[in-house]
Amino acid sequence: MLIVQTIAELKACLNKEREQGHSVGLVPTMGALHAGHASLVERSVKENDVTVVSIFLNPTQFNDKKDLERYPRTLEADCELLEKCGAQVVFAPSVDEVYPEPDTRVFSYPPTDSVMEGAFRPGHFNGVCQIVSKLFMMVEPDKAYFGEKDFQQLAIIREMVKQMNFPLEIVGCPIVREDDGLAMSSRNMLLTAEERVRAVNISRILKESRDYANEHTLQETRRFVEEQIAAIDGFIPEYFQIVDGNTLQQIESWEDSDYRVGCIALFCGKIRLIDNITYIL
């Protein structure tokens, strides 16, 4: 496995692969990798001749500096995991390498980017689009892989690819969960032991709400989740919305959409966690 830190090294390596007609898959990450990331890498390895994994903690997508400072950094362990997964190239650049000058580009994809995460984390998706578009231009992948846990991010990246005419396929991959149901996240390692036990209630409540939805209205189901979350000591909810999975706009009845997704964000102690579930009625 090759580890490169500069764009020049990356392009030189990939040019050689393309000269041999090899396809390239990209898995963008911010490091602190877990089994969820591994599932993306393993899928890319199966579907492409060469898999590039970027490890870059992107400062432009953090609207909270303390959140950026808290984010775990585990490059050595990340590389060990990626080698086991079969990745051929790790791209781990510095901030100066990626942003030699401030990126002043503005990305706007309303109404997809103005709700939920967009409302609670102003500037977040602009930073996501800055770094992801840069990676697409650097790597020029045939396919890029993203997890469905970041459901809204995936929708926005699809829209960016469409509007910027990037010649690649975006592959969404299912949420990977811990044995107890908690959605895998790099932030989970920041939870205290007590918070980790508490956090599993997120997936439990969402799963219960899917069963509840079979005999209740959307409004009743939304209220059920909100009340259950509010009853957990140590949770500070930000939002729970049931949206159309394509437009990400909130719906008011089950009949409003055939693709219904419940999206949640909350703080468990100081750590912000997100999750989602699809309602099939």
Side-chain angles (χ1 to χ4, degrees):
M1 188 177 72
L2 183 65
I3 302 173
V4 299
Q5 296 180 313
T6 69
I7 298 168
E9 289 177 291
L10 176 70
K11 286 186 173 292
C13 165
L14 294 179
N15 286 341
K16 290 179 182 178
E17 297 292 343
R18 289 196 182 86
E19 286 171 2
Q20 300 177 60
H22 291 168
S23 60
V24 176
L26 170 65
V27 182
T29 83
M30 293 201 299
L33 305 184
H34 49 68
H37 295 107
S39 71
L40 305 182
V41 176
E42 288 166 354
R43 180 161 176 184
S44 177
V45 168
K46 287 180 182 178
E47 297 181 357
N48 302 278
D49 298 310
V50 178
T51 290
V52 178
V53 181
S54 62
I55 297 178
F56 179 68
L57 190 52
N58 177 42
T60 71
Q61 70 189 70
F62 285 83
N63 58 322
D64 181 349
K65 289 185 178 180
K66 290 184 179 179
D67 193 20
L68 174 60
E69 291 168 2
R70 277 195 298 262
Y71 202 90
R73 294 157 170 84
T74 58
L75 181 59
E76 186 176 340
D78 292 345
C79 289
E80 290 177 5
L81 174 64
L82 293 175
E83 191 156 27
K84 291 177 183 176
C85 292
Q88 287 90 351
V89 181
V90 174
F91 180 46
S94 66
V95 173
D96 288 341
E97 181 71 13
V98 175
Y99 297 110
E101 298 176 356
D103 192 340
T104 58
R105 294 176 300 159
V106 176
F107 296 81
S108 181
Y109 303 112
T112 309
D113 61 354
S114 59
V115 297
M116 297 190 294
E117 295 295 285
F120 282 89
R121 301 181 70 187
H124 169 67
F125 286 126
N126 195 68
V128 168
C129 290
Q130 286 177 342
I131 184 57
V132 172
S133 63
K134 277 179 172 284
L135 288 169
F136 287 170
M137 289 184 280
M138 294 171 189
V139 177
E140 300 180 64
D142 297 285
K143 295 182 180 182
Y145 297 78
F146 296 86
E148 291 177 352
K149 184 177 76 69
D150 295 292
F151 188 81
Q152 187 174 8
Q153 173 180 277
L154 178 57
I156 289 168
I157 288 171
R158 288 190 194 280
E159 186 63 25
M160 181 188 74
V161 165
K162 179 181 175 181
Q163 294 199 22
M164 294 185 72
N165 294 313
F166 281 115
L168 61 93
E169 178 186 348
I170 298 297
V171 181
C173 300
I175 298 174
V176 177
R177 298 184 179 277
E178 303 283 0
D179 291 341
D180 59 8
L182 180 65
M184 288 191 175
S185 169
S186 300
R187 297 173 188 271
N188 291 351
M189 65 179 68
L190 300 175
L191 297 168
T192 66
E194 182 181 348
E195 289 167 347
R196 174 61 184 79
V197 171
R198 185 180 301 138
V200 75
N201 286 292
I202 303 169
S203 58
R204 176 186 62 79
I205 291 168
L206 288 181
K207 185 177 179 181
E208 288 177 0
S209 78
R210 187 163 56 188
D211 297 331
Y212 184 90
N214 287 320
E215 297 181 1
H216 294 82
T217 67
L218 184 148
Q219 305 284 0
E220 290 169 335
T221 303
R222 188 164 60 204
R223 189 160 52 248
F224 170 83
V225 171
E226 291 171 345
E227 291 175 352
Q228 291 287 313
I229 291 293
I232 304 296
D233 184 43
F235 277 178
I236 304 173
E238 280 198 335
Y239 65 79
F240 173 69
Q241 293 185 14
I242 301 176
V243 303
D244 179 281
N246 295 310
T247 67
L248 301 191
Q249 298 307 291
Q250 194 163 210
I251 56 176
E252 298 303 325
S253 73
W254 298 126
E255 292 72 27
D256 288 346
S257 173
D258 293 327
Y259 185 16
R260 316 164 194 93
V261 182
C263 300
I264 193 166
L266 57 80
F267 282 89
C268 182
K270 294 182 178 179
I271 308 305
R272 190 176 187 273
L273 301 174
I274 63 173
D275 202 346
N276 64 78
I277 195 166
T278 300
Y279 293 98
I280 301 173
L281 304 175

